Structures are given as C-alpha cells and as structure tokens.
Amino acid sequence: GYPLIYNIILSFKNMNVKNMATGTSVFVGLENYKTLFADPTFQMVFKNTIIFTLACLAIQFTIGFLFAMFFSKKFTFAGPVRGLILVGYMMPMSVTALLGKNMFLLDGGVINDLLMKLHLVSQPVDWLVSGGTALAAVIAVNCWVGIPFNMLLLTSGLTGISDDIYESASIDGANRFQRFLYITLPLMKPAMLSVLMLGFIYTFKAFDLMYIMTSGGPYNSTDVLGTYAYSKAFTQYEFSQGSAIAMVLFVCLFLVGLFYLKLLSKEDD
C-alpha cells in the first residue's frame, strides 16, 4: 500500500528534479490536476487510451467469440490448432512488441511485403511514422495477443452449457439462430461480462507494447495514460505530474472494477 499512498500524496505536491533532492517541494492541492486537464496533450493521450481500449475490445471479443464457437465443436485437430493460436498469448509482451515492430517496418516488414504481393498498396507504408497508422499497428498487435485470451475464456463458458439444452430446444422446433439467441447468449452472459471487464482493465493500463513499438510517438499519437505517466515522471522528471496521470489511470480502473463487482452481485442475486 505504501507506493499507492505515496503516489497519491505526490500528486498533490510540486515535486520535480530540481526540488526532489532538497526536499523543498510543497503541497499545491489540485493544481497538478487542473494543469493536467487543461493540457491539450493530456486530452489527446486520454482520447488515444479510449480509442485503443474500445477498438481492441471490439475486435478481440468478436473474433475471440467466433473462434470459441468454432473450437467448441468436436473435430479432428481442434485441440492442436487451438493450442497454436494460444502461442501469441503465451509469449511475453516485450517479445510480442518487438515482433510487431519488425513486422510493420517500412523496409523488410512482413506486413508491407504481404500487402505489396496482394497488390493492395503500390508502395510500402511507413506504419510507425504516421500517427493514424501507428495507432492502428499497435491495436493490431495487441489484438493478436488478446484474441486467444478471449477465445480461451469464452470457450470455457461454452463448454459449460449442456448439450441437453440444445437438444430440447431443437425438439421444440428452435433453429440454429434461435438456439444461439435464446440459449447461448443468455447462458454465456457471466463469462462474456468477465471477459469484457478483464479485457478493458488489461487494455486500458497497457504500457509495454506502446513503449517498445513506438515509445508513444509520433508526436504522442500512440501515447496512452501509462506511457504518458512514465514519460512525465522519468523522462521529463515532473514527478508530481506523472503521479497525477497515474492517479487518473487508477481512478478510471477503480470505477470500472466497482462497476464489475456490482454487476457480479446482481448476477449472483
């Protein structure tokens, strides 16, 4: 608890590299937060975090759910293929980020090579230099990791639904879409809720992927709250500003956690 409490205290002070050693920092109240929310760069970074989180959640959950539905069926090599898909999730994020960075290189990157061979682009795209494409590249690499995670948890939820329920529904005349709509989705609700909430928390606090792939660039276009807090505290040495950004991140995730617990309690009731 000490680092958390110290970070809260630090966010209300004016500590920077000049007064850290002398211990002359003073409390400034909400001044750091006022400066932060008036800063156009912070507003851009917060927007990046929301876009990154929602885009990743939508893609990961949709494709992960489709994979879960597909691999819940019994067919030859279902297990080994599912295991191969999980390789991306099992790799350390630092390794994944380095692979992603190399894949999206201007020269020699496998993405540009593939797009050129398919005649989808006439010349290589400098993915990690332009703001829009850099964020898209980071989202794509994060989804590569997140899809297996979603698939794994959702598959567990699907296997918990008894086949007898589907057989009874078929006897009563329900078609495949009706069985999915009125049996699969309602019974999958707890698992889907868990996947979405956990996915939101893991994605919203992302740091290592952006830091390794783009270092938040170009011009903060791939900066999220985690990387921006690090940059403020350990690159610009504005420790109190960095702590304030970290507190914004903490409060957002704390509120999401409370919302998740409230939903769980309703499900239990």
Side-chain angles (χ1 to χ4, degrees):
Y2 175 77
L4 178 59
I5 295 170
Y6 183 73
N7 189 79
I8 294 172
I9 295 171
L10 196 60
S11 70
F12 293 106
K13 301 178 77 172
N14 71 334
M15 186 178 290
N16 53 46
V17 72
K18 296 177 182 177
N19 58 32
M20 181 179 68
T22 59
T24 56
S25 60
V26 296
F27 281 93
V28 292
L30 296 173
E31 200 60 39
N32 286 318
Y33 293 95
K34 291 178 181 177
T35 303
L36 199 62
F37 286 109
D39 182 11
T41 304
F42 174 78
Q43 295 170 12
M44 177 185 178
V45 169
F46 193 84
K47 182 181 176 182
N48 289 343
T49 308
I50 297 296
I51 292 172
F52 173 76
T53 302
L54 294 182
C56 287
L57 272 184
I59 297 169
Q60 290 170 182
F61 181 82
T62 303
I63 300 178
F65 191 78
L66 291 174
F67 276 4
M69 292 285 292
F70 180 72
F71 286 108
S72 64
K73 308 297 181 184
K74 296 178 181 178
F75 59 92
T76 309
F77 301 122
V81 174
R82 186 167 55 195
L84 286 173
I85 293 175
L86 286 171
V87 169
Y89 171 66
M90 292 187 292
M91 284 194 300
M93 185 57 80
S94 55
V95 176
T96 301
L98 287 171
L99 284 172
K101 187 174 183 178
N102 287 324
M103 288 170 67
F104 282 98
L105 285 176
L106 177 64
D107 297 317
V110 66
I111 301 297
N112 275 327
D113 184 54
L114 180 62
L115 293 175
M116 292 282 287
K117 287 180 178 178
L118 292 174
H119 302 290
L120 296 177
V121 295
S122 57
Q123 57 185 7
V125 179
D126 208 346
W127 293 93
L128 302 179
V129 171
S130 173
T133 56
L135 186 59
V138 173
I139 289 171
V141 175
N142 190 71
C143 289
W144 182 40
V145 179
I147 288 170
F149 172 74
N150 281 253
M151 180 193 73
L152 187 65
L153 295 185
L154 291 170
T155 300
S156 301
L158 284 170
T159 53
I161 303 175
S162 174
D163 292 335
D164 296 336
I165 302 175
Y166 290 112
E167 290 177 7
S168 299
S170 298
I171 293 171
D172 290 337
N175 58 37
R176 183 171 296 181
F177 178 74
Q178 289 172 326
R179 293 197 298 270
F180 173 77
L181 190 63
Y182 296 109
I183 296 175
T184 304
L185 287 183
L187 293 178
M188 281 288 292
K189 187 179 177 181
M192 292 164 68
L193 181 63
S194 298
V195 168
L196 287 172
M197 288 297 106
L198 289 173
F200 184 93
I201 291 168
Y202 292 153
T203 309
F204 198 83
K205 68 180 182 66
F207 169 80
D208 39 9
L209 180 64
M210 288 81 167
Y211 185 75
I212 294 173
M213 277 192 71
T214 61
S215 298
Y219 305 108
N220 303 106
S221 59
T222 58
D223 253 330
V224 290
L225 289 176
T227 55
Y228 193 53
Y230 177 88
S231 175
K232 276 286 186 181
F234 302 113
T235 303
Q236 302 175 35
Y237 303 112
E238 295 287 345
F239 301 113
S240 292
Q241 284 283 305
S243 295
I245 298 167
M247 284 308 303
V248 172
L249 176 60
F250 170 76
V251 169
C252 290
L253 294 180
F254 184 74
L255 292 175
V256 170
L258 287 179
F259 177 69
Y260 175 52
L261 292 175
K262 186 176 181 180
L263 288 178
L264 284 183
S265 63
K266 284 186 178 180
E267 288 293 327
D268 291 338
D269 293 338

